[in-house]
Amino acid sequence: MVRLNEIKMQDGKIFLITGANSGLGYETSKFLLERGATVIMCCRDLLKGEKAKKELLKFKFSGKIELVELDLSDLINVKKFAESIKNTFDHLDVLINNAGIMAPPKTLSKQGFEIQFAVNHLAHMFLTLELLPMLEEKNNSRVVTVTSGVQYFGKIQWEDLQGNLKYDRWASYAQSKLANVMFGLELDSKLKETNSKTSSLLAHPGFARTNLQPKSVEANQSWQEELAYKLMDPMFQSAKMGALPQITAATLTSASGGEQYGPRFNFRGFPKICRNAPKALNQTSRKKLWDISEKLIKDFDTLSKQSK
């Protein structure tokens, strides 16, 4: 079990966090700023981002905040964002793929992908691959991909990745969170093959109170879901506690590539190394998902270049 006093100061390090204006992203930003890091806070809504920044500045932390707009539902925006980061910073120490969407009604991204597969998995993979050269400028740099406990129940629908034939919002969410683990492990394998300075780790928050739950209830107008969350409320831990696994994966000196950190009791508690979803351990499946995802990204990238 990891305690906060094991985490060293982060002076001089640059962290980029997606979905940083609320929930786990906000608490992670707050922790890192307190320890002297420069935090690039990526937010889909700049107004909400400015509000979060204003709150954080009240603490007068020694770290620095860089607020930037990033819409993960649009790969064109992800590409432009990555180019802007490359032009502004000369390196990154840690990329935390934190942002996520949970169980909305059937919705498509700007490029026509099922929104959870697009935002939770595809956009973060694209962003990571775009920023990887910046990470490889530094020793012991890291990519931390945030998944969920539903990874253990997820299944990749190979014949219907986008839910075109049948859409189940919770099955699609679980699929995207399993995809996070498969991506994180496959990335680490590829990095190790090239003796990269960068490692890939995973984290999940357990049951943490964030804006994902009320957003899901609001989007689906589901009284059953709202009631379920009320009944389960005593089991939930704070967003501050839920952020500790990803903070640990991002900063703990002894953390290694391929490891996943989660709450001690799987749904709550201080972080420890936890098991990766068994379905993510199949190398053939991981490579298959990587190849499919890479092709979707490359096809988009090629088309966007031709349209210029």
Side-chain angles (χ1 to χ4, degrees):
M1 187 173 64
V2 179
R3 294 288 184 179
L4 295 186
N5 58 10
E6 296 179 55
I7 306 294
K8 296 180 179 179
M9 289 295 288
Q10 302 296 311
D11 304 72
K13 289 191 174 183
I14 302 175
F15 292 75
L16 189 149
I17 308 172
T18 65
N21 62 283
S22 65
L24 305 179
Y26 177 88
E27 294 296 341
T28 301
S29 298
K30 185 178 178 182
F31 184 96
L32 295 170
L33 289 165
E34 185 179 13
R35 280 155 182 79
T38 293
V39 179
I40 305 171
M41 295 180 64
C42 308
C43 312
R44 184 177 61 84
D45 186 329
L46 271 185
L47 288 177
K48 291 180 179 178
E50 289 288 356
K51 184 179 178 182
K53 180 180 178 180
K54 189 175 180 181
E55 287 298 312
L56 289 169
L57 288 174
K58 290 179 182 177
F59 295 100
K60 300 187 185 302
F61 294 136
S62 58
K64 296 178 181 178
I65 300 173
E66 297 285 346
L67 184 66
V68 287
E69 185 177 13
L70 172 61
D71 182 0
L72 291 164
S73 70
D74 182 2
L75 292 181
I76 293 175
N77 186 270
V78 174
K79 179 76 171 181
K80 290 178 179 177
F81 168 83
E83 292 300 325
S84 173
I85 293 296
K86 292 174 193 174
N87 291 331
T88 307
F89 300 90
D90 60 2
H91 77 275
L92 291 174
D93 290 277
V94 182
L95 165 62
I96 303 180
N97 292 320
N98 164 79
I101 294 177
M102 185 177 75
K106 181 66 182 289
T107 312
L108 300 181
S109 72
K110 296 282 174 56
Q111 282 71 42
F113 303 121
E114 189 276 315
I115 196 70
Q116 296 178 95
F117 185 81
V119 170
N120 297 352
H121 167 59
L122 209 56
H124 278 125
M125 177 175 177
F126 187 29
L127 179 64
T128 301
L129 296 179
E130 286 289 305
L131 298 181
L132 204 52
M134 294 184 69
L135 286 155
E136 291 180 322
E137 291 290 326
K138 299 291 287 186
N139 285 320
N140 197 31
S141 56
R142 300 178 185 184
V143 177
V144 178
T145 301
V146 181
T147 179
S148 160
V150 301
Q151 63 179 281
Y152 304 113
F153 310 104
K155 181 181 179 182
I156 304 297
Q157 301 293 336
W158 296 111
E159 305 305 318
D160 191 24
L161 276 176
Q162 309 301 332
N164 294 324
L165 301 178
K166 180 185 178 183
Y167 179 71
D168 180 301
R169 61 194 180 96
W170 286 108
S172 292
Y173 178 63
Q175 172 183 254
S176 72
K177 294 288 103 180
L178 173 59
N180 286 153
V181 185
M182 293 170 74
F183 163 69
L185 293 179
E186 188 64 13
L187 175 63
D188 192 64
S189 177
K190 290 179 181 296
L191 292 170
K192 284 173 179 171
E193 285 175 6
T194 60
N195 295 313
S196 174
K197 300 175 184 177
T198 306
S199 55
S200 171
L201 297 94
L202 293 143
H204 84 82
F207 290 172
R209 293 186 191 90
T210 69
N211 62 352
L212 284 181
Q213 294 94 17
K215 276 189 175 181
S216 178
V217 170
E218 181 183 357
N220 294 284
Q221 295 294 299
S222 173
W223 66 266
Q224 297 98 328
E225 190 175 338
E226 184 176 16
L227 177 61
Y229 286 135
K230 286 181 179 177
L231 293 174
M232 293 169 64
D233 188 68
M235 299 173 67
F236 278 75
Q237 60 182 358
S238 66
K240 183 177 181 179
M241 284 294 293
L244 293 183
Q246 64 199 62
I247 291 168
T248 300
T251 61
L252 189 68
T253 304
S254 60
S256 300
E259 292 178 345
Q260 180 173 173
Y261 287 82
R264 182 183 180 189
F265 301 107
N266 207 37
F267 64 93
R268 63 183 299 139
F270 283 92
K272 67 174 181 62
I273 295 175
C274 64
R275 68 190 181 103
N276 290 309
K279 288 189 178 72
L281 303 180
N282 185 302
Q283 292 180 334
T284 303
S285 295
R286 290 206 311 260
K287 185 179 184 305
K288 182 177 180 180
L289 180 64
W290 183 285
D291 290 345
I292 290 170
S293 303
E294 191 174 48
K295 186 177 186 305
L296 291 173
I297 291 168
K298 284 184 175 178
D299 286 350
F300 144 74
D301 213 11
T302 301
L303 286 172
S304 65
K305 287 175 182 174
Q306 289 175 349
S307 65
K308 288 182 179 178

